[in-house]
Amino acid sequence: NNDENNVDVNTAGVCGAIASGSGYSQLSEFCTALDISVMSEKTYLSYLYVMNNAEDLAMKEMINAGKGEYQLAAEAGDIKNGTPKIAVIVDGA
C-alpha cells in the first residue's frame, strides 16, 4: 500500500463533486442520503482551492499509468528501439 497513491476522503469527495459538475450542496445532499458525515462548506472550499493543482495530480497519474504500460510491454517483449508497442483504445468522450 503506497501512501503516494492514496487520497483522503475529503479530497476524493471534492474531486467527485467537481467531476460530476456539482458543488458543495449536492455533495452534502449525497452524503446525507448515504448517512455519511460531510465536511463543512469552509473545509470544502479549502479543498477546492487546493484542487487548482488537480492538473498536477492528473499528470502524475498519467505518468504512472504510462510507466505501468511500458512495464507490461517490456514483459511481453513489445519494445522496438526503446519504444513500447501499446494498444490505445478510446471511447470518444
Side-chain angles (χ1 to χ4, degrees):
N1 207 9
N2 188 343
D3 286 340
E4 183 179 309
N5 294 326
N6 291 330
V7 177
D8 69 271
V9 68
N10 288 343
T11 300
V14 174
C15 285
I18 292 168
S20 66
S22 60
Y24 177 76
S25 294
Q26 292 83 4
L27 176 64
S28 179
E29 288 179 25
F30 182 73
C31 288
T32 300
L34 294 176
D35 196 24
I36 298 172
S37 297
V38 67
M39 69 189 97
S40 69
E41 188 170 10
K42 182 178 177 181
T43 300
Y44 176 87
L45 291 173
S46 69
Y47 275 83
L48 186 59
Y49 177 77
V50 171
M51 289 299 116
N52 288 328
N53 296 318
E55 186 176 343
D56 291 338
L57 178 61
M59 184 60 70
K60 287 179 185 177
E61 289 300 315
M62 287 188 291
I63 289 169
N64 285 337
K67 288 177 182 177
E69 290 295 327
Y70 184 92
Q71 182 63 37
L72 291 171
E75 290 172 5
D78 289 334
I79 296 181
K80 184 176 181 181
N81 298 328
T83 302
K85 293 189 235 173
I86 300 172
V88 177
I89 302 169
V90 296
D91 66 2

